[in-house]
Amino acid sequence: MKERCLVLIKPDAIEKRITGIVIDRFERLGLTLVGSKVVSLTEKLIRQHYAHLSGKPFLEGVIHYMMGDYNHITNHKIYAFVFQGKNAVSAIRDALGATNPDNAAPWTIRGNFGKFDKSADIVYNCVHASDSATDAEREIALWFSPGEVLDA
Ligand code: ADP
């Protein structure tokens, strides 16, 4: 099976209406969009997704950010995508740029559209992508049912 990567369009990206740009950039990398849905977020799902952040001082801020509390998104809904293709994880993460938009190269998505609110310690970095092929499969199983992803 070709490599897959989970992508989440975070509330700041939804507010900025850059979802189409994000899809376009990933498709231009030669990747195929094989999963696409709107997800109603729960705090439990965010905590499961970000289990590796357990104990970090900024975790509660991340939960508020993902729930849309800082971006006028009151329905707690975001887009979840699965992209598939050769080296999907590294290709997408290179196109996203560094976690902190202040450190992201200017041609990357986070460099273009992200923002770091230093005083509140909120990293508005627009898009999530899995950080390894193994983690991608864990995340895809968390966000999608098998029948919701194309067998491309
Ligand atoms: P990435 O999303 O680039 O894989 P991490 O998995 O380390 O990065 O972090 C998950 C998310 O937590 C980040 O995308 C960001 O929204 C938030 N975050 C990470 N580090 C910090 C930090 N030092 N302060 C505030 N928020 C952070």
Side-chain angles (χ1 to χ4, degrees):
M1 189 167 64
K2 284 187 201 149
E3 190 168 284
R4 306 194 297 180
C5 184
L6 181 84
V7 168
L8 302 176
I9 306 297
K10 298 186 181 188
D12 53 327
I14 292 174
E15 188 177 59
K16 288 186 159 96
R17 292 170 168 79
I18 59 166
T19 304
I21 292 171
V22 173
I23 294 172
D24 184 58
R25 289 202 188 180
F26 295 167
E27 287 189 332
R28 283 168 190 263
L29 296 171
L31 302 173
T32 305
L33 181 59
V34 294
S36 166
K37 69 196 285 194
V38 172
V39 180
S40 291
L41 293 179
T42 61
E43 193 178 317
K44 185 179 169 196
L45 177 60
I46 299 167
R47 285 189 192 278
Q48 286 176 308
H49 176 77
Y50 281 131
H52 66 288
L53 298 183
S54 172
K56 297 279 187 198
F58 54 82
L59 177 58
E60 299 309 310
V62 169
I63 291 168
H64 280 292
Y65 164 40
M66 293 299 290
M67 290 295 275
D69 296 345
Y70 305 138
N71 294 100
H72 314 100
I73 302 213
T74 53
N75 58 17
H76 307 308
K77 291 179 180 176
I78 63 167
Y79 296 114
F81 297 136
V82 179
F83 283 88
Q84 180 172 298
K86 194 162 180 251
N87 300 321
V89 169
S90 61
I92 286 176
R93 287 192 64 97
D94 285 352
L96 275 190
T99 301
N100 184 334
D102 285 355
N103 302 327
W107 56 84
T108 60
I109 290 167
R110 288 169 169 177
N112 284 166
F113 303 108
K115 187 183 81 180
F116 175 40
D117 181 344
K118 200 171 178 181
S119 59
D121 194 18
I122 304 294
V123 173
Y124 294 97
N125 57 9
C126 303
V127 179
H128 164 82
S130 315
D131 72 356
S132 69
T134 308
D135 212 39
E137 292 307 316
R138 178 192 76 87
E139 293 180 352
I140 291 166
L142 186 61
W143 289 81
F144 284 83
S145 307
E148 293 175 328
V149 183
L150 286 176
D151 199 9

